[in-house]
Amino acid sequence: IGRPPGPDSSLEPYVQTRIFKIIVIGDSNVGKTCLTFRFCGGTFPDKTEATIGVDFREKTVEIEGERIKVQVWDTAGQERFRKSMVEHYYRNVHAVVFVYDVTKMTSFTNLKTWIEECNGHAVPPLVPRVLVGNKCDLKDLIQVPSSMALKFADAHNMLLFETSAKDPKESQNVDAIFMCLACRLKAQRSLLCRDLEGRPGQPRRLEPTHDANGKNSCPC
Ligand SMILES: Nc1nc2c(ncn2[C@@H]2O[C@H](COP(=O)(O)OP(=O)(O)OP(=O)(O)O)[C@@H](O)[C@H]2O)c(=O)[nH]1
Ligand SMILES: [Mg+2]
């Protein structure tokens, strides 16, 4: 049982597009809005204002033939613009992207506060987290050495991406942040579905088993 090989339009009504909720967290001004804009819209915004509450952006991507909706929550970095929203950010989140600005050391040292906030909201350990150092185009102004960031990422079991929302040459790298998470989530969930399928009497509508190997083709 499962989905037959190849596309079959007669199955479409049964195959729901899955939605992965990914939140983007970090100090104000590190470039969360610009990074999410780059991923979802493909461009760097001319001008941004501090995010109030949350802005939703989304992009539908295809991973191994499955369409997945990546729903990106661009959160506010300023305390006064986020405090009433924090519970919503973390509810049913599938993955977390922590962002700092490579030209601003305080945005890096504050990461521990952001991680504490995340841990304080009972985000399950299976929820993947990645670390993003943004504004790498400002080469002469770098304050956070890669080695320091890498050490921190390792200690917190996160992958590190150093990139720039502004530099068009980096756009593939920005995409890779979200695609890597989407691939990981897909692989995780396919394993879960396979477990469910093994049990008698369980509905089998979700996903075929062959995706359990999806990990191998993940870009990271
Ligand atoms: N040079 C450079 N500037 C950037 C980059 N990304 C963002 N910026 C600039 O940094 C400033 C802040 O960017 P935002 O994306 O609005 O920052 P934010 O993290 O969303 O801030 P809050 O919404 O207040 O939390 C803007 O002036 C952007 O143009 C980048 O990769 N390189
Ligand atoms: Mg913003």
Side-chain angles (χ1 to χ4, degrees):
I1 306 208
R3 201 164 55 186
D8 180 348
S9 58
S10 68
L11 278 176
E12 270 169 19
Y14 301 97
V15 180
Q16 276 190 330
T17 307
R18 289 193 286 179
I19 300 176
F20 292 155
K21 170 181 173 179
I22 301 182
I23 59 172
V24 183
I25 297 281
D27 276 11
S28 181
N29 216 49
V30 296
K32 299 181 296 297
T33 295
C34 292
L35 283 166
T36 58
F37 213 88
R38 174 64 86 186
F39 172 64
C40 296
T43 57
F44 181 73
D46 291 337
K47 183 170 161 285
T48 56
E49 267 154 32
T51 303
I52 298 174
V54 64
D55 284 328
F56 300 105
R57 305 210 157 78
E58 60 180 38
K59 183 167 168 177
T60 302
V61 300
E62 193 171 311
I63 301 172
E64 292 163 337
E66 184 189 352
R67 283 161 63 85
I68 288 171
K69 196 180 280 183
V70 179
Q71 183 184 75
V72 182
W73 288 48
D74 170 23
T75 71
Q78 285 189 45
E79 176 63 20
R80 62 190 167 132
F81 293 146
R82 71 195 311 278
K83 57 173 182 265
S84 62
M85 290 294 296
V86 179
E87 303 301 321
H88 300 282
Y89 295 161
Y90 291 102
R91 187 170 302 144
N92 298 324
V93 67
H94 294 119
V96 185
V97 177
F98 292 100
V99 185
Y100 66 96
D101 172 350
V102 295
T103 71
K104 196 156 182 227
M105 186 54 92
T106 53
S107 73
F108 180 76
T109 51
N110 282 340
L111 286 168
K112 65 175 188 316
T113 320
W114 295 117
I115 291 172
E116 275 164 20
E117 179 187 90
C118 180
N119 291 341
H121 285 81
V123 174
L126 258 182
V127 169
R129 305 171 181 203
V130 296
L131 184 60
V132 177
N134 188 39
K135 307 199 188 181
C136 283
D137 56 292
L138 301 173
K139 292 190 178 61
D140 299 335
L141 300 174
I142 291 179
Q143 283 187 3
V144 183
S146 300
S147 54
M148 187 186 276
L150 202 53
K151 205 168 150 195
F152 184 85
D154 276 351
H156 291 87
N157 197 20
M158 296 192 269
L159 275 183
L160 171 68
F161 291 83
E162 289 183 304
T163 193
S164 160
K166 186 172 186 178
D167 182 354
K169 291 195 294 296
E170 283 289 314
S171 71
Q172 278 194 339
N173 242 334
V174 175
D175 286 356
I177 299 165
F178 297 94
M179 290 304 286
C180 173
L181 286 171
C183 286
R184 260 211 260 178
L185 290 167
K186 179 174 157 71
Q188 254 180 25
R189 267 135 236 271
S190 299
L191 281 171
L192 277 174
C193 290
R194 190 179 58 172
D195 290 349
L196 278 178
E197 285 191 350
R199 283 193 237 146
Q202 291 289 330
R204 297 181 177 207
R205 270 194 309 138
L206 286 173
E207 267 303 295
T209 58
H210 63 257
D211 285 334
N213 298 323
K215 263 207 302 260
N216 301 333
S217 52
C218 175
C220 51

